[in-house]
mmCIF file with all atom_site columns, all heavy atoms in Angstrom:
data_model
loop_
_atom_site.group_PDB
_atom_site.id
_atom_site.type_symbol
_atom_site.label_atom_id
_atom_site.label_alt_id
_atom_site.label_comp_id
_atom_site.label_asym_id
_atom_site.label_entity_id
_atom_site.label_seq_id
_atom_site.pdbx_PDB_ins_code
_atom_site.Cartn_x
_atom_site.Cartn_y
_atom_site.Cartn_z
_atom_site.occupancy
_atom_site.B_iso_or_equiv
_atom_site.pdbx_formal_charge
_atom_site.auth_seq_id
_atom_site.auth_comp_id
_atom_site.auth_asym_id
_atom_site.auth_atom_id
_atom_site.pdbx_PDB_model_num
ATOM 1  N N   . ILE V 1 17  ? 40.895  -87.125 -106.281 1.00 75.00 ? 768 ILE V N   1
ATOM 2  C CA  . ILE V 1 17  ? 40.475  -85.732 -106.068 1.00 75.00 ? 768 ILE V CA  1
ATOM 3  C C   . ILE V 1 17  ? 40.692  -85.400 -104.601 1.00 75.00 ? 768 ILE V C   1
ATOM 4  O O   . ILE V 1 17  ? 40.190  -86.073 -103.706 1.00 75.00 ? 768 ILE V O   1
ATOM 5  C CB  . ILE V 1 17  ? 38.997  -85.521 -106.460 1.00 75.00 ? 768 ILE V CB  1
ATOM 6  C CG1 . ILE V 1 17  ? 38.807  -85.853 -107.933 1.00 75.00 ? 768 ILE V CG1 1
ATOM 7  C CG2 . ILE V 1 17  ? 38.554  -84.108 -106.117 1.00 75.00 ? 768 ILE V CG2 1
ATOM 8  C CD1 . ILE V 1 17  ? 37.380  -85.792 -108.394 1.00 75.00 ? 768 ILE V CD1 1
ATOM 9  N N   . GLU V 1 18  ? 41.494  -84.397 -104.414 1.00 75.00 ? 769 GLU V N   1
ATOM 10 C CA  . GLU V 1 18  ? 41.748  -83.941 -103.060 1.00 75.00 ? 769 GLU V CA  1
ATOM 11 C C   . GLU V 1 18  ? 40.545  -83.105 -102.607 1.00 75.00 ? 769 GLU V C   1
ATOM 12 O O   . GLU V 1 18  ? 40.058  -82.260 -103.340 1.00 75.00 ? 769 GLU V O   1
ATOM 13 C CB  . GLU V 1 18  ? 43.010  -83.081 -103.009 1.00 75.00 ? 769 GLU V CB  1
ATOM 14 C CG  . GLU V 1 18  ? 44.270  -83.823 -103.362 1.00 75.00 ? 769 GLU V CG  1
ATOM 15 C CD  . GLU V 1 18  ? 44.659  -84.844 -102.302 1.00 75.00 ? 769 GLU V CD  1
ATOM 16 O OE1 . GLU V 1 18  ? 44.442  -84.551 -101.105 1.00 75.00 ? 769 GLU V OE1 1
ATOM 17 O OE2 . GLU V 1 18  ? 45.161  -85.912 -102.671 1.00 75.00 ? 769 GLU V OE2 1
ATOM 18 N N   . SER V 1 46  ? 14.542  -50.714 -86.906  1.00 84.00 ? 797 SER V N   1
ATOM 19 C CA  . SER V 1 46  ? 13.408  -50.516 -86.001  1.00 84.00 ? 797 SER V CA  1
ATOM 20 C C   . SER V 1 46  ? 13.557  -49.215 -85.222  1.00 84.00 ? 797 SER V C   1
ATOM 21 O O   . SER V 1 46  ? 12.575  -48.503 -85.000  1.00 84.00 ? 797 SER V O   1
ATOM 22 C CB  . SER V 1 46  ? 13.247  -51.701 -85.059  1.00 84.00 ? 797 SER V CB  1
ATOM 23 O OG  . SER V 1 46  ? 14.349  -51.785 -84.177  1.00 84.00 ? 797 SER V OG  1
ATOM 24 N N   . SER V 1 48  ? 15.091  -46.559 -86.284  1.00 82.00 ? 799 SER V N   1
ATOM 25 C CA  . SER V 1 48  ? 14.831  -45.498 -87.259  1.00 82.00 ? 799 SER V CA  1
ATOM 26 C C   . SER V 1 48  ? 13.336  -45.332 -87.496  1.00 82.00 ? 799 SER V C   1
ATOM 27 O O   . SER V 1 48  ? 12.835  -44.207 -87.575  1.00 82.00 ? 799 SER V O   1
ATOM 28 C CB  . SER V 1 48  ? 15.550  -45.821 -88.570  1.00 82.00 ? 799 SER V CB  1
ATOM 29 O OG  . SER V 1 48  ? 15.273  -44.864 -89.539  1.00 82.00 ? 799 SER V OG  1
ATOM 30 N N   . VAL V 1 65  ? -1.543  -28.087 -81.324  1.00 85.00 ? 816 VAL V N   1
ATOM 31 C CA  . VAL V 1 65  ? -1.151  -27.110 -80.308  1.00 85.00 ? 816 VAL V CA  1
ATOM 32 C C   . VAL V 1 65  ? -1.093  -25.710 -80.897  1.00 85.00 ? 816 VAL V C   1
ATOM 33 O O   . VAL V 1 65  ? -1.422  -24.729 -80.233  1.00 85.00 ? 816 VAL V O   1
ATOM 34 C CB  . VAL V 1 65  ? 0.198   -27.518 -79.668  1.00 85.00 ? 816 VAL V CB  1
ATOM 35 C CG1 . VAL V 1 65  ? 0.770   -26.397 -78.823  1.00 85.00 ? 816 VAL V CG1 1
ATOM 36 C CG2 . VAL V 1 65  ? 0.030   -28.770 -78.829  1.00 85.00 ? 816 VAL V CG2 1
ATOM 37 N N   . MET V 1 77  ? -4.183  -10.612 -76.500  1.00 84.00 ? 828 MET V N   1
ATOM 38 C CA  . MET V 1 77  ? -4.175  -9.267  -77.090  1.00 84.00 ? 828 MET V CA  1
ATOM 39 C C   . MET V 1 77  ? -5.482  -8.532  -76.833  1.00 84.00 ? 828 MET V C   1
ATOM 40 O O   . MET V 1 77  ? -5.498  -7.317  -76.707  1.00 84.00 ? 828 MET V O   1
ATOM 41 C CB  . MET V 1 77  ? -3.907  -9.353  -78.593  1.00 84.00 ? 828 MET V CB  1
ATOM 42 C CG  . MET V 1 77  ? -2.464  -9.630  -78.910  1.00 84.00 ? 828 MET V CG  1
ATOM 43 S SD  . MET V 1 77  ? -2.096  -9.387  -80.644  1.00 84.00 ? 828 MET V SD  1
ATOM 44 C CE  . MET V 1 77  ? -2.427  -11.003 -81.297  1.00 84.00 ? 828 MET V CE  1
ATOM 45 N N   . ARG V 1 78  ? -6.588  -9.259  -76.743  1.00 83.00 ? 829 ARG V N   1
ATOM 46 C CA  . ARG V 1 78  ? -7.896  -8.623  -76.505  1.00 83.00 ? 829 ARG V CA  1
ATOM 47 C C   . ARG V 1 78  ? -8.052  -8.164  -75.065  1.00 83.00 ? 829 ARG V C   1
ATOM 48 O O   . ARG V 1 78  ? -8.874  -7.303  -74.774  1.00 83.00 ? 829 ARG V O   1
ATOM 49 C CB  . ARG V 1 78  ? -9.021  -9.593  -76.845  1.00 83.00 ? 829 ARG V CB  1
ATOM 50 C CG  . ARG V 1 78  ? -9.140  -9.868  -78.310  1.00 83.00 ? 829 ARG V CG  1
ATOM 51 C CD  . ARG V 1 78  ? -10.297 -10.788 -78.566  1.00 83.00 ? 829 ARG V CD  1
ATOM 52 N NE  . ARG V 1 78  ? -10.311 -11.216 -79.946  1.00 83.00 ? 829 ARG V NE  1
ATOM 53 C CZ  . ARG V 1 78  ? -11.007 -12.235 -80.387  1.00 83.00 ? 829 ARG V CZ  1
ATOM 54 N NH1 . ARG V 1 78  ? -11.753 -12.939 -79.558  1.00 83.00 ? 829 ARG V NH1 1
ATOM 55 N NH2 . ARG V 1 78  ? -10.967 -12.567 -81.659  1.00 83.00 ? 829 ARG V NH2 1
ATOM 56 N N   . PHE V 1 98  ? 0.846   -27.061 -70.566  1.00 86.00 ? 849 PHE V N   1
ATOM 57 C CA  . PHE V 1 98  ? 0.798   -25.610 -70.779  1.00 86.00 ? 849 PHE V CA  1
ATOM 58 C C   . PHE V 1 98  ? 1.042   -24.915 -69.446  1.00 86.00 ? 849 PHE V C   1
ATOM 59 O O   . PHE V 1 98  ? 0.426   -25.245 -68.450  1.00 86.00 ? 849 PHE V O   1
ATOM 60 C CB  . PHE V 1 98  ? -0.574  -25.173 -71.309  1.00 86.00 ? 849 PHE V CB  1
ATOM 61 C CG  . PHE V 1 98  ? -0.846  -25.645 -72.698  1.00 86.00 ? 849 PHE V CG  1
ATOM 62 C CD1 . PHE V 1 98  ? -1.571  -26.802 -72.930  1.00 86.00 ? 849 PHE V CD1 1
ATOM 63 C CD2 . PHE V 1 98  ? -0.372  -24.932 -73.783  1.00 86.00 ? 849 PHE V CD2 1
ATOM 64 C CE1 . PHE V 1 98  ? -1.823  -27.240 -74.214  1.00 86.00 ? 849 PHE V CE1 1
ATOM 65 C CE2 . PHE V 1 98  ? -0.619  -25.356 -75.071  1.00 86.00 ? 849 PHE V CE2 1
ATOM 66 C CZ  . PHE V 1 98  ? -1.342  -26.518 -75.292  1.00 86.00 ? 849 PHE V CZ  1
ATOM 67 N N   . LYS V 1 107 ? 7.790   -23.601 -60.289  1.00 73.00 ? 858 LYS V N   1
ATOM 68 C CA  . LYS V 1 107 ? 8.258   -22.302 -60.777  1.00 73.00 ? 858 LYS V CA  1
ATOM 69 C C   . LYS V 1 107 ? 7.134   -21.490 -61.417  1.00 73.00 ? 858 LYS V C   1
ATOM 70 O O   . LYS V 1 107 ? 7.366   -20.400 -61.913  1.00 73.00 ? 858 LYS V O   1
ATOM 71 C CB  . LYS V 1 107 ? 9.384   -22.490 -61.811  1.00 73.00 ? 858 LYS V CB  1
ATOM 72 C CG  . LYS V 1 107 ? 10.592  -23.211 -61.291  1.00 73.00 ? 858 LYS V CG  1
ATOM 73 C CD  . LYS V 1 107 ? 11.380  -22.344 -60.346  1.00 73.00 ? 858 LYS V CD  1
ATOM 74 C CE  . LYS V 1 107 ? 12.637  -23.080 -59.928  1.00 73.00 ? 858 LYS V CE  1
ATOM 75 N NZ  . LYS V 1 107 ? 13.385  -22.381 -58.935  1.00 73.00 ? 858 LYS V NZ  1
ATOM 76 N N   . ASP V 1 111 ? 7.263   -19.618 -65.444  1.00 76.00 ? 862 ASP V N   1
ATOM 77 C CA  . ASP V 1 111 ? 7.304   -20.349 -66.708  1.00 76.00 ? 862 ASP V CA  1
ATOM 78 C C   . ASP V 1 111 ? 5.939   -20.432 -67.382  1.00 76.00 ? 862 ASP V C   1
ATOM 79 O O   . ASP V 1 111 ? 5.734   -21.270 -68.256  1.00 76.00 ? 862 ASP V O   1
ATOM 80 C CB  . ASP V 1 111 ? 7.820   -21.776 -66.470  1.00 76.00 ? 862 ASP V CB  1
ATOM 81 C CG  . ASP V 1 111 ? 9.277   -21.810 -66.080  1.00 76.00 ? 862 ASP V CG  1
ATOM 82 O OD1 . ASP V 1 111 ? 10.004  -20.869 -66.444  1.00 76.00 ? 862 ASP V OD1 1
ATOM 83 O OD2 . ASP V 1 111 ? 9.687   -22.774 -65.420  1.00 76.00 ? 862 ASP V OD2 1
ATOM 84 N N   . ALA V 1 130 ? 1.520   -15.899 -74.810  1.00 86.00 ? 881 ALA V N   1
ATOM 85 C CA  . ALA V 1 130 ? 0.441   -15.995 -73.832  1.00 86.00 ? 881 ALA V CA  1
ATOM 86 C C   . ALA V 1 130 ? 0.944   -16.743 -72.598  1.00 86.00 ? 881 ALA V C   1
ATOM 87 O O   . ALA V 1 130 ? 1.786   -17.620 -72.690  1.00 86.00 ? 881 ALA V O   1
ATOM 88 C CB  . ALA V 1 130 ? -0.756  -16.723 -74.430  1.00 86.00 ? 881 ALA V CB  1
ATOM 89 N N   . SER V 1 142 ? -2.308  -29.776 -67.928  1.00 86.00 ? 893 SER V N   1
ATOM 90 C CA  . SER V 1 142 ? -1.728  -30.819 -68.773  1.00 86.00 ? 893 SER V CA  1
ATOM 91 C C   . SER V 1 142 ? -2.839  -31.615 -69.443  1.00 86.00 ? 893 SER V C   1
ATOM 92 O O   . SER V 1 142 ? -3.915  -31.807 -68.859  1.00 86.00 ? 893 SER V O   1
ATOM 93 C CB  . SER V 1 142 ? -0.878  -31.741 -67.890  1.00 86.00 ? 893 SER V CB  1
ATOM 94 O OG  . SER V 1 142 ? -0.314  -32.760 -68.656  1.00 86.00 ? 893 SER V OG  1
#
Side-chain angles (χ1 to χ4, degrees):
I768 300 175
E769 296 291 324
S797 66
S799 177
V816 168
M828 284 192 270
R829 291 182 188 164
F849 292 96
K858 300 288 184 185
D862 291 334
S893 179

